[in-house]
Amino acid sequence: MASTVTLIRSAALSNVAQYAYAATAPADARLIFLAGSCPLDTAGATVGHGDYAAQAEQCIKNMTTALQDAGATIEDVISTRVLVASTDRDDLVRAWEVVRRAFGTHDVPSTLLGVTVLGYEHQLVEIEAVAAVRD
């Protein structure tokens, strides 16, 4: 099934960004607001201690599960916010590369942020997302 999300690109803005600058969903779409996806396994333990990429992978896995439970896929995501507990741009890039690969050509508008701390012990990455589907 085709996504209801339309990604918008702008010729007037830089093409350096690895994502669309905007996205829309039709008026009859059901919006799904996901809680921040954390790098937790099914037992609730933080995975990938000290490894930004491994934590981003687990976040994507958990986000995909939450989307599926809500009747959506990653192609239905309309925007993301990627939070990385670091002041080092290289750490942010390590997490971003995982997210970028997971979304492929469905490169939704996204914000990548370095933050001081996240909620779980040893947590380095969290991914928020909004999706839109037609039922």
Side-chain angles (χ1 to χ4, degrees):
M1 177 183 246
S3 174
T4 63
V5 175
T6 301
L7 300 179
I8 300 167
R9 305 185 192 289
S10 174
L13 297 172
S14 169
N15 65 357
V16 170
Q18 298 177 348
Y19 46 81
Y21 278 101
T24 64
D28 63 343
R30 175 172 56 94
L31 295 179
I32 303 165
F33 297 88
L34 281 75
S37 177
C38 299
L40 304 176
D41 64 17
T42 56
T46 303
V47 302
H49 291 210
D51 187 334
Y52 291 90
Q55 288 202 5
E57 292 280 356
Q58 186 68 38
C59 290
I60 292 291
K61 180 180 175 185
N62 292 344
M63 181 188 71
T64 303
T65 299
L67 285 165
Q68 183 179 9
D69 290 346
T73 69
I74 203 165
E75 289 80 22
D76 297 311
V77 171
I78 195 165
S79 68
T80 66
R81 182 176 298 127
V82 181
L83 309 170
V84 181
S86 180
T87 58
D88 185 337
R89 184 172 285 125
D90 289 341
D91 296 335
L92 277 70
V93 169
R94 276 188 269 289
W96 175 250
E97 287 173 344
V98 171
V99 174
R100 181 74 180 92
R101 187 172 53 252
F103 277 86
T105 59
H106 186 67
D107 53 348
V108 299
S110 190
T111 300
L112 176 62
L113 298 167
V115 299
T116 57
V117 67
L118 292 166
Y120 292 100
E121 188 174 11
H122 306 293
Q123 182 182 2
L124 301 172
V125 179
E126 187 163 335
I127 303 170
E128 298 176 1
V130 177
V133 296
R134 281 189 169 134
D135 291 321

